Amino acid sequence: MKRSDSSEREKKRKRQRLLQELGGQRIPFLSPSDPGFQELWKSSYPGLVLRRADALPPDLHARVQAALCSLHGRGCLLRDLVRVRGRDVFTAVSRALLGLPGHTYRYLNTRLFTIPWHCGEEEQEEEEKGGVPKEEEQKAQKHEGEVQGQGQGAGERKAEACCDQELRAACKALWELNRFFCEDVNCREAGDHGRDVEDPQVSEGSPQPQCSKGSPCTAQFNVTLLNYMDPATMDQLKEEPYYGMGKMAVGWHHDENLVPSSSVAVYNYSCQDDKVEGGGSEDVAPASWRVGLKVAWDINTPGLVLPLQSGDCYYMRDDLNRTHQHCVLAGEMSRFSSTHRVAECSTGTLEYIRRRCKEALDNVSTDPDTGCKSLRSLSPSTLQLSEEVHNEVEFEWLRQYWFQGRRYSRFCNWWNKPMEQLEEVWKEMESLTQLTLAVAEDDGCEEQRRKEVAETLLPTLTERQQHRLTWKERCESRLAQTLPPEEAPVNRPYWCDGDPSMPLPFDLTDIISRVESLLWKL
């Protein structure tokens, strides 16, 4: 689990130190009605851009808002069971990930698997230009056709096999919003970020994006993380601790796992009472949702609070997400947000993990006559690569998927076949580990060679055992047991001792002891 406890402890220390420095006092913050708001925005928050609702085409608003309500009504937005400072907690926010086929997004030790946004082949190819290697995405698209096209007529669209028309239409609407953002974010002129909020009572609208000649729009958002928040069901919202900004639906944070210095675009939709259950019905206008921003770990610069009306969008450009933190301050109505990102996917695509698996299994040779398998190389670097990939596919893909990624398969089955294939490959890696163990325990093998193999094997086996126990505990935790069967985590892969289909036991305690004893002797 990549997000280390030491990193979490460091953040906790920073928070405590910041509160100690404040000594119970509050840092000032400014809203649009405060004098100096525009000057503060321009001087300390220059990467923040607001786009009022009337800057987007009305028909796009209608499609996006209908899509968000449809996804919510279908039950596609779910609370995640995430790992924070060594313990499991439910997110207060319900979420779903949409994006390029075969992509994932990782946050708080949790890997989310995309529901692919559906669009025509020509549009998909255009989408793939820029931030994501085209060759890789063409392979992913080819794979989608292979998986989804089985049993279809030639005239049927390949995406129709993985979900129904209603879901497909909703996903496509979010893709259309993504295209707007890709064109708009980098086309805004650098100096116009505050134009739409000089008078908080007036929304004058913004010009359509204008790129200067020769400066291409390069934002390539590959995923959007959808969020749904209903303040009526969010118990015990915490007060913002540094500025006194009010109740927080989402605390101070940087968005994780993004390409460095990439932008984030956020669409805000506050629901009317006839759209989503739980909306207010009072005559008085309900309090709006707001986004708060601050310079990270800084007590001298005032904070900034930006009220958001339904349909407003805001962009965090350049390195704002790295140098600043943001929070979401609760309003009174239910709220959706579609947060478009350039996820750092160098190790987060289906094609990536398939490529890694192939590299690991290239070290296995099969005798064409007997079918017996053997290792091509016993070099420590080759063996270490194979065992590291073994752990990666098990703990970063299979167990992440079965812990909660598979919840979405009842809406969209795109990942079903790929995960079955990954599990088959993982089983081959279990056999590869068995072959490596056999070399270490072979009395006929050179002693130095056996020692090298055992020393390479021991750390990865120990890590594997620790992670298996952790995932087993997470699946059996009190919080996990509160979920309905279709959402409950599954401890998979799991098998009982003596299973003839598995070359090694699930519990590696005895094997680790054997390798440790072997190293003592050699």
Side-chain angles (χ1 to χ4, degrees), residues 378 434-451 453 514 518 522:
L378 296 178
Q434 182 188 44
L435 293 172
T436 307
L437 179 64
V439 172
E441 295 183 323
D442 184 2
D443 292 335
C445 188
E446 179 187 355
E447 186 173 290
Q448 181 59 31
R449 175 68 72 189
R450 294 175 63 196
K451 183 178 180 181
V453 171
R514 280 159 47 188
L518 181 64
L522 293 175

Side-chain angles (χ1 to χ4, degrees), residues 219-278:
Q220 292 294 323
F221 301 118
N222 49 19
V223 299
T224 180
L225 186 61
L226 304 182
N227 303 294
Y228 173 71
M229 313 170 196
D230 181 359
T233 62
M234 298 171 75
D235 297 332
Q236 300 177 336
L237 292 178
K238 293 183 179 179
E239 290 285 343
E240 192 286 310
Y242 308 123
Y243 303 84
M245 292 177 175
K247 299 284 188 181
M248 298 189 302
V250 180
W252 292 108
H253 67 287
H254 306 274
D255 287 340
E256 294 184 54
N257 196 30
L258 306 182
V259 170
S261 298
S262 62
S263 298
V264 177
V266 181
Y267 182 89
N268 174 73
Y269 173 40
S270 299
C271 311
Q272 300 297 327
D273 61 325
D274 60 340
K275 298 292 186 182
V276 177
E277 292 182 6

Side-chain angles (χ1 to χ4, degrees), residues 422-434:
L422 279 182
E423 190 162 328
E424 287 302 314
V425 170
W426 166 83
K427 284 184 180 180
E428 293 182 46
M429 292 185 190
E430 285 284 302
S431 298
L432 192 155
T433 300
Q434 182 188 44

Side-chain angles (χ1 to χ4, degrees), residues 29 64 73 139 157 180 188 210 276 320 327-328 339 348 370 385 445 500:
F29 71 92
V64 168
K139 290 179 182 177
R157 295 180 67 117
F180 176 89
R188 294 280 284 161
Q210 296 293 325
V276 177
L320 184 74
C327 70
V328 179
T339 62
T370 65
L385 170 68
C445 188

Side-chain angles (χ1 to χ4, degrees), residues 304-369:
L304 194 79
V305 169
L306 198 63
L308 298 171
Q309 302 304 316
S310 188
D312 285 351
C313 306
Y314 64 92
Y315 306 153
M316 294 185 290
R317 300 201 314 181
D318 306 322
D319 63 350
L320 184 74
N321 181 61
R322 180 183 64 82
T323 58
H324 294 62
Q325 292 174 302
H326 58 282
C327 70
V328 179
L329 301 163
E332 293 180 350
M333 300 176 69
S334 300
R335 180 211 184 216
F336 290 101
S337 65
S338 182
T339 62
H340 298 245
R341 307 146 187 256
V342 188
E344 204 295 296
C345 284
S346 61
T347 62
T349 66
L350 178 61
E351 287 305 305
Y352 158 80
I353 194 60
R354 283 177 158 177
R355 198 162 51 240
R356 288 276 283 173
C357 291
K358 183 180 183 303
E359 291 173 5
L361 293 177
D362 279 347
N363 194 38
V364 177
S365 175
T366 303
D367 187 295
D369 298 324

Side-chain angles (χ1 to χ4, degrees), residues 440 447 450-451 454-455 458 512-522:
E447 186 173 290
R450 294 175 63 196
K451 183 178 180 181
E455 288 176 339
L458 183 58
I512 291 171
S513 296
R514 280 159 47 188
V515 175
E516 289 175 333
S517 299
L518 181 64
L519 286 172
W520 276 105
K521 296 175 184 177
L522 293 175

